[in-house]
């Protein structure tokens, strides 16, 4: 008797495993069409395509009217002339992008197990699409190219496609009550000192015909700016000149506000945000466990069998690995014997798992590692995997592979024992480090005494001879390293490759310098550039000193790791900057004009260009909101908060009211006090974690946020049978959650009871309704 494997069951198992590897939930339909759409949407090709469309959609702001296609942002140069694209070009691209987003929304609704109005992000996706279509049609129909505030909706399309960005925003939202408490205290501090400054200094402190504290609004504003120290000590000097005891008020405010409340705000954000974000990230571990267990439940269905054709008995070297980018899954029905379809105490044969791996989209290196691990397990232990072994096989695959790869790199290839002993000796690295340091110090001495010589050249015999000796030593060092540790370890070690590149560049450049008749003193441009390059390489070589000190190496590796994984947090910052740039263009575009700087000032009958320390006197003309590029640069300058009050005062003066300053204050609160402090908190947490581990050799593999916020013991913790069965029942993988938890062999419901047309994460239907 022959039976056939169900395509649907195999497809479900494959999708579950891929969801587990991507830390996705099982909230999607399970009919074959929905599963194939789900795989396509989650595929690498679709993700790249979606990212490209989002990038084009966001970058349209640079070429839309008013475009940023000009040489500079200074409105006093060439009258602020800029190249404008014909009407309709950007609108056509924008319309195509919206159509693609609408198609993506429809696809996500098709595979979602819940109606769109029950999924907040999917519902928001639809609302944003609808609003964008309405506003787009109205503004294009009226041929309005300037007032287009609806463009603030664009960053949503970037955020909604990133689960980590959504988790970060959710953690920020949950942290707001505690953060608002500190902000209220900070506001009271500004109000109290602002009133005190107005009462004490309004009539006595004068500067260029006016005062810093003439009105309550000006007094509060100047104390708010003093919180960032941007106007210190300017705001204090007039009062200090009047009476030295007035200094006590300002020092008290700085200690309470700048050094007290601002640091307290960082501490609150660090504690609360980390706590809430950690809870969200820990849920990813459970997602992976539940998805893997769901795949096991599907595969242990007696109707699908647990064997594969004899072709999968071949060795690892003969097995073909399918392309990771294969989005169109085609599984042919396979003929299995009747014996293979009988259950074996809820176990899966390794040959069946090997069969499944051929179709799972995952990294090629991980797939090879699993093939080898399963083959070794089949030869040494058993031909079956129980549910614990199956889940463990995929659960920590990134960490397991990284540890295995590190062990293989340490073994190396083509090692020469005697040379390896020389290379691994502590004195070998010490000699190279000392030479690099001495060479750099000698270069600094020469450049300090004879800056016109540009460093090393034929006329300086001492430094020239030292460079030759050091370069020869480093060439020999690279050869010995290559022979001692083997090519595999050499190529995969960053510090070795770094030294190799610098040594090769210096050796080539010095060969050219000392074999050609070049002289810097005669104005030889080639010689000058060559010697500059040599000097730069010598300076960069001193970095190896940092890499030799373990504590400094921890700092460097933490910094590099953060740079690699900061795109999510910088994405939130850029989304916020995008929104504020669009709003700023609508509010302040062309407000600061060339005519204003000649306008007579209110104080002392001076023009604004003549008043010391003003926007016009400092010629900050390029900092404006006349186009998107200029708006981004202006917001970045405001984020740094150095002289930010000068920019704010200029736009407030151009609008002749204080209400416009609230836009800039809100930017300071949301960006500087909230988002930047969140990023600083993440940097602190990453550094503390790496420092406490005292391990600078652990490879960074897998999900960065899981590794960062979830302890290794928590990641390795096995979820109880009750937790997994409850989660599987909640996701409708099994019908009954009632099992004997205390029994050593719990009666786990078989996956054969699953209705293939049911959807996950939905409410359980009654048996009569399913029938």
């Amino acid at each position: 008797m022959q039976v056939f494997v169900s395509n649907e069951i195999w497809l479900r198992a494959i999708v579950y495993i891929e969801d587990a590897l991507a830390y996705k939930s099982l909230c999607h339909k399970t009919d074959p069409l929905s599963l194939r759409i789900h795989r396509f949407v989650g595929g690498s090709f679709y993700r790249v395509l979606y990212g490209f469309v989002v990038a084009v959609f966001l970058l349209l702001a640079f070429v839309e009217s008013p475009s940023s296609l000009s040489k500079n942002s200074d409105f006093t140069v060439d009258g602020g002339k800029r190249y404008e694209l014909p009407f309709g070009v950007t609108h056509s691209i924008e319309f195509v992008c919206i159509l693609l987003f609408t198609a993506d929304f429809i696809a996500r609704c098709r595979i979602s197990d819940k109606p769109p109005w029950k999924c907040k992000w999917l519902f928001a996706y639809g609302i944003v699409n609808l609003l964008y279509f309405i506003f787009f049609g109205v503004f294009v129909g009226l041929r309005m190219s300037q007032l287009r505030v609806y463009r603030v909706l664009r960053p949503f399309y970037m955020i909604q496609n990133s689960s980590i960005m959504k988790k970060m925003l959710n953690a920020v939202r949950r942290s707001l009550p505690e953060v608002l408490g500190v902000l209220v205290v900070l506001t009271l501090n500004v109000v109290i000192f602002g009133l005190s400054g107005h009462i004490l200094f309004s009539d006595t402190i004068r500067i260029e015909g006016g005062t810093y504290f003439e009105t309550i609004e000006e007094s509060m504003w100047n104390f708010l700016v003093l919180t960032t120290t941007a106007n210190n000590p300017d705001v204090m000097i007039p009062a200090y000149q009047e009476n030295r005891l007035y200094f006590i008020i300002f020092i008290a405010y700085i200690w309470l506000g700048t050094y007290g409340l601002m640091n307290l705000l960082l501490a609150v954000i660090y504690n609360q945000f980390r706590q809430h974000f950690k809870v969200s990230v820990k849920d990813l571990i459970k997602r992976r466990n539940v998805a893997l267990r769901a795949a096991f439940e599907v595969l242990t269905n007696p109707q699908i069998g647990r064997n594969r054709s004899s072709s999968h008995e071949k060795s690892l070297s003969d097995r073909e690995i399918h392309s990771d980018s294969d989005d169109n899954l085609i599984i042919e029905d396979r003929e299995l014997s009747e014996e293979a379809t009988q259950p074996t105490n809820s176990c899966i044969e390794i040959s069946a798992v090997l069969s499944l791996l051929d179709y799972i989209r995952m990294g090629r290196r991980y797939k090879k590692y699993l093939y080898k691990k399963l083959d070794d397990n089949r030869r040494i232990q058993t031909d079956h995997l129980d549910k614990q072994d199956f889940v463990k096989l995929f659960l920590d695959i990134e960490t397991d592979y990284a540890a295995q790869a590190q062990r293989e790199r340490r073994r190396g290839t083509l090692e020469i024992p005697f040379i390896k002993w020389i290379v691994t000796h502590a004195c070998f690295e010490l000699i190279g480090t000392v030479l690099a340091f001495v060479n750099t110090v000698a270069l600094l001495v020469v450049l300090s005494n004879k800056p016109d010589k540009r460093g090393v050249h034929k006329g300086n015999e001492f430094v020239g001879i030292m460079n030759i000796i050091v370069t020869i030593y480093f060439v020999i060092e690279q050869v010995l390293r290559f022979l001692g540790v083997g090519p595999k370890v050499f190529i995969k070690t960053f510090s070795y490759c770094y030294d190799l590149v610098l040594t090769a560049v210096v050796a080539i450049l010095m060969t050219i310098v000392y074999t050609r008749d070049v002289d810097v003193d005669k104005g030889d441009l080639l010689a000058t550039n060559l010697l500059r390059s040599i000097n730069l390489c010598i300076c960069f070589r001193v970095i190896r000193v940092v890499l030799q000190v373990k504590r400094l190496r921890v700092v460097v590796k933490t910094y590099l790791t953060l740079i690699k994984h900061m795109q999510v947090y910088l994405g939130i910052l850029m989304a916020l900057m995008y929104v504020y740039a669009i709003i700023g263009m609508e509010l302040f575009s062309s407000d600061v004009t060339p005519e204003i700087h000649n306008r007579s000032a209110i104080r002392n009958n001076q023009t604004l260009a003549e008043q010391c320390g003003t926007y016009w006197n400092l010629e900050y003309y390029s900092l404006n909101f006349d186009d998107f590029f200029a708006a981004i640069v202006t917001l970045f300058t405001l984020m740094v908060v150095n002289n930010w009050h000068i920019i704010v005062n200029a736009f407030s003066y151009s609008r002749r009211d204080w209400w416009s300053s609230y836009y800039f204050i809100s930017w300071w609160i949301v960006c500087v006090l909230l988002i930047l402090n969140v990023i600083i908190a993440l940097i602190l947490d990453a550094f503390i974690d790496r420092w406490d581990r005292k391990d600078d050799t652990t490879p960074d593999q897998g999900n960065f946020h899981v590794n960062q916020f979830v302890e290794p013991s928590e990641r390795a913790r096995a979820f109880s049978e009750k937790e997994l069965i409850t989660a599987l029942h909640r996701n409708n993988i099994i019908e009954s959650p009632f099992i004997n938890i205390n029994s050593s062999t719990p009666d786990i419901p078989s996956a054969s009871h699953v209705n293939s047309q049911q959807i996950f994460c939905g409410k359980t239907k009654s048996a009569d309704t399913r029938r």
Side-chain angles (χ1 to χ4, degrees), residues 245-450:
L245 294 180
Y246 285 152
F247 173 74
I248 299 175
I249 297 177
F250 295 95
I251 196 65
Y253 179 82
I254 291 176
W255 274 104
L256 290 175
T258 304
Y259 297 127
L261 293 175
M262 295 291 283
N263 289 320
L264 179 62
L265 179 64
L266 174 60
V268 169
I269 290 177
Y270 173 78
N271 182 61
Q272 296 299 320
F273 174 79
R274 187 182 186 278
Q275 178 181 348
H276 294 301
F277 195 57
K278 182 178 180 179
V279 172
S280 298
V281 172
K282 285 177 66 176
D283 183 60
L284 299 178
I285 301 294
K286 189 172 183 179
R287 281 186 182 183
R288 176 171 280 195
N289 277 271
V290 172
L292 291 174
R293 183 60 181 273
F296 179 85
E297 292 296 327
V298 170
L299 291 173
T300 51
N301 189 317
Q303 296 181 0
I304 66 173
R306 292 172 299 278
N307 242 336
R308 194 182 176 185
S309 59
S310 58
S311 62
H312 279 269
E313 297 295 336
K314 55 189 176 181
S315 64
L316 175 65
S317 59
D318 298 330
R319 186 174 293 114
E320 177 185 0
I321 298 178
H322 288 233
S323 173
D324 297 336
S325 61
D326 183 14
D327 291 318
N328 299 320
L329 176 67
I330 301 176
I331 304 178
E332 298 179 354
D333 291 340
R334 304 186 183 279
E335 235 180 53
L336 299 176
S337 63
E338 183 177 358
E339 180 182 356
T341 65
Q342 301 302 319
T344 57
N345 297 325
S346 297
C347 291
I348 304 175
E349 288 196 6
I350 291 179
S351 57
V353 180
L354 290 171
S355 173
L356 206 63
L357 281 177
D358 287 344
Y359 302 100
I360 296 175
R361 292 182 309 197
M362 60 192 306
R364 185 179 298 270
R365 54 182 179 174
Y366 297 138
K367 190 173 287 190
K368 285 184 178 180
Y369 169 73
L370 289 179
Y371 278 141
K372 186 176 184 302
K373 186 175 181 179
L374 289 172
D375 281 343
D376 294 342
N377 189 73
R378 184 168 53 181
R379 287 195 301 267
I380 298 174
Q381 297 180 2
T382 178
D383 290 338
H384 297 81
L385 295 176
D386 59 15
K387 54 181 176 292
Q388 288 84 6
D389 293 335
F390 180 82
V391 171
K392 188 178 179 180
L393 180 68
F394 296 95
L395 187 60
D396 291 322
I397 182 174
E398 298 91 353
T399 306
D400 295 341
Y401 169 79
Q404 177 67 22
Q406 191 175 20
R407 288 192 295 268
E408 292 179 356
R409 286 198 299 268
R410 286 175 178 173
R411 287 196 293 266
T413 57
L414 301 177
E415 297 174 352
I416 301 177
F418 177 70
I419 298 180
K420 182 178 181 180
W421 177 81
I422 296 175
V423 172
T424 55
H425 199 279
C427 293
F428 183 80
E429 292 291 342
L430 181 61
I431 293 173
T433 302
V434 171
L435 284 177
F437 182 76
V438 171
N439 194 198
T440 305
V441 172
L443 175 63
L444 292 175
V445 172
V446 171
L447 291 177
S448 299
N449 295 333
K450 298 180 180 180

Side-chain angles (χ1 to χ4, degrees), residues 408-412 485-493 496:
E408 292 179 356
R409 286 198 299 268
R410 286 175 178 173
R411 287 196 293 266
V485 301
K488 182 182 294 186
V489 176
F490 188 92
I491 294 174
K492 294 184 178 181
T493 304
Y496 294 169

Side-chain angles (χ1 to χ4, degrees), residues 682-701:
L682 292 168
I683 294 174
L684 289 174
D685 188 76
F687 177 76
I688 293 172
D689 176 71
R690 178 83 69 158
W691 189 273
D692 290 342
R693 280 191 295 161
K694 299 180 180 179
D695 180 14
D696 62 306
T697 61
T698 303
D700 298 311
Q701 295 289 338

